[in-house]
Every structure is written in C-alpha cells, then in structure tokens.
Amino acid sequence: RCLCYANSTDIDNLSRFVERAARAFPRLKHLSLLDNDCCPNYLNNGKPLDYEHYRYFIIHFLPNIQSVDGVPVTQAEVASAEETF
C-alpha cells in the first residue's frame, strides 16, 4: 500500500510535485495535499471547479491513484481526467 500524506507542507507547484511523485512512487495509490497552496479547496477558499481540475490532473498523471485527499477516485473522474488531459 503506497500512500503519501503531504498535508500542510507548503507545496505550491502541483505539476512539479506530481511529476516528482510519479517518478519516485510509480505505484502511489493514495495522495493527500490538503492545506497546501497547490490544493484549491475549502481550507484555502478554493473554488469547486478548481478543485475538480486539481483532482483530474492528479488522476491523469498518477495512473494507479485510488484516492485523493481521502476521497476515493471514481471511474467517472478517471474518464474526465483522460478527456481533460
């Protein structure tokens, strides 16, 4: 079970973090980035559409991911991530 909880760690660049995580942990299944600038959610007044896009980005570039921020990834999200990226 490969998981990474990087909550509240001052991560501000999602693409750089995900790129590095994909290389370092190719079988990563669970990732949480809550309370970081790169994670637009209710903790930092992020908009729902921005959070959705953030999830799609992670789902697309980390193909084995099963949950993001403690919320399971759905098949609909996988399909949307493929359409988006």
Side-chain angles (χ1 to χ4, degrees), residues 21 25 44 69 79:
F25 310 107
N44 60 11
D69 300 329

Side-chain angles (χ1 to χ4, degrees), residues 1 7 18 20 27 29 44 50 57 70 83:
R1 184 173 165 172
N7 301 328
V18 170
R20 290 176 180 173
R27 291 189 267 169
K29 295 186 185 305
N44 60 11
D50 291 338
F57 184 87
E83 289 175 15

Side-chain angles (χ1 to χ4, degrees), residues 27 34 39 47 53 60-61 65 82:
R27 291 189 267 169
L34 292 172
C39 176
K47 297 176 183 155
H53 189 261
H60 178 76
F61 289 101
I65 204 77
E82 292 307 313

Side-chain angles (χ1 to χ4, degrees), residues 10-83:
D10 296 323
I11 298 167
D12 60 356
N13 188 315
L14 181 63
S15 60
R16 183 174 41 212
F17 179 85
V18 170
E19 178 185 319
R20 290 176 180 173
R23 281 196 317 261
F25 310 107
R27 291 189 267 169
L28 186 63
K29 295 186 185 305
H30 308 281
L31 174 65
S32 184
L33 297 173
L34 292 172
D35 199 22
N36 283 295
D37 288 344
C38 72
C39 176
N41 63 47
Y42 63 91
L43 294 172
N44 60 11
N45 297 317
K47 297 176 183 155
L49 188 58
D50 291 338
Y51 184 69
E52 183 177 273
H53 189 261
Y54 152 89
R55 285 181 62 87
Y56 293 168
F57 184 87
I58 292 170
I59 292 164
H60 178 76
F61 289 101
L62 296 173
N64 293 310
I65 204 77
Q66 295 176 358
S67 73
V68 177
D69 300 329
V71 179
V73 171
T74 67
Q75 289 294 27
E77 285 181 308
V78 172
S80 293
E82 292 307 313
E83 289 175 15

